[in-house]
Amino acid sequence: MSTSWLDEIKWTEDGLVPVIAQEAGSGQVLMLAWMNRESLALSVQEGKAIYWSRSRGKLWRKGEESGHEQIIHDIRLDCDNDVILLEVEQKGGIACHTGRHRCFFKQLQGDQWVEVEPVIKDPDTIYK
């Protein structure tokens, strides 16, 4: 399979592209992460989300520790060729390392951020 499609992406100076993971079915935005060429190519090849961890400086197979994999249903590139949208099936119903369904669980209410979505599973039991 040719990888010339990777050349159409406008990568950042450090070789990354932001990736939005959206839940298939509900349309909820689960998280935002980053990919490099290798992680995107591997994601396409394996059919599962594989990101680039900027904090760890290495590939991050979503669910490698938690079991909460993201199975890819569709991959889209935005009109400026600089953001990827993954439509995924979220295994285990938890996308966030805090044990919540999605990472966007804080809502601005007045002048403060309020956690408005519950913890589904204690992260201490997910990441032993």
Side-chain angles (χ1 to χ4, degrees):
M1 176 178 170
S2 169
T3 57
S4 60
W5 55 273
L6 288 166
D7 296 332
E8 295 182 42
I9 297 169
K10 290 182 183 169
W11 304 93
T12 64
E13 287 183 14
D14 22 348
L16 301 174
V17 66
V19 181
I20 299 166
Q22 180 182 36
E23 187 172 42
S26 76
Q28 282 192 333
V29 174
L30 298 174
M31 57 181 277
L32 177 119
W34 296 87
M35 286 185 173
N36 62 11
R37 290 176 72 94
E38 181 184 13
S39 63
L40 181 53
L42 284 169
S43 295
V44 169
Q45 182 180 351
E46 296 181 19
K48 297 177 183 178
I50 302 168
Y51 300 107
W52 177 258
S53 172
R54 295 181 304 164
S55 60
R56 292 178 248 163
K58 67 176 191 168
L59 291 178
W60 160 41
R61 285 178 155 72
K62 179 69 174 149
E64 65 190 351
E65 293 178 39
S66 66
H68 302 140
E69 296 179 316
Q70 293 177 340
I71 308 303
I72 298 172
H73 287 219
D74 193 20
I75 301 176
R76 303 283 177 117
L77 181 61
D78 81 327
C79 57
D80 294 322
N81 292 356
D82 62 359
V83 178
I84 300 286
L85 174 67
L86 296 183
E87 185 178 310
V88 300
E89 174 188 347
Q90 180 63 60
K91 294 294 185 180
I94 297 173
C96 185
H97 73 280
T98 66
R100 291 177 174 85
H101 178 63
R102 60 188 185 151
C103 295
F104 298 96
F105 59 87
K106 295 179 184 178
Q107 182 182 60
L108 185 61
Q109 295 181 6
D111 62 353
Q112 61 184 344
W113 293 103
V114 178
E115 295 180 3
V116 295
E117 296 184 18
V119 172
I120 296 169
K121 189 171 183 181
D122 182 346
D124 290 338
T125 64
I126 297 172
Y127 306 100
K128 297 174 180 95

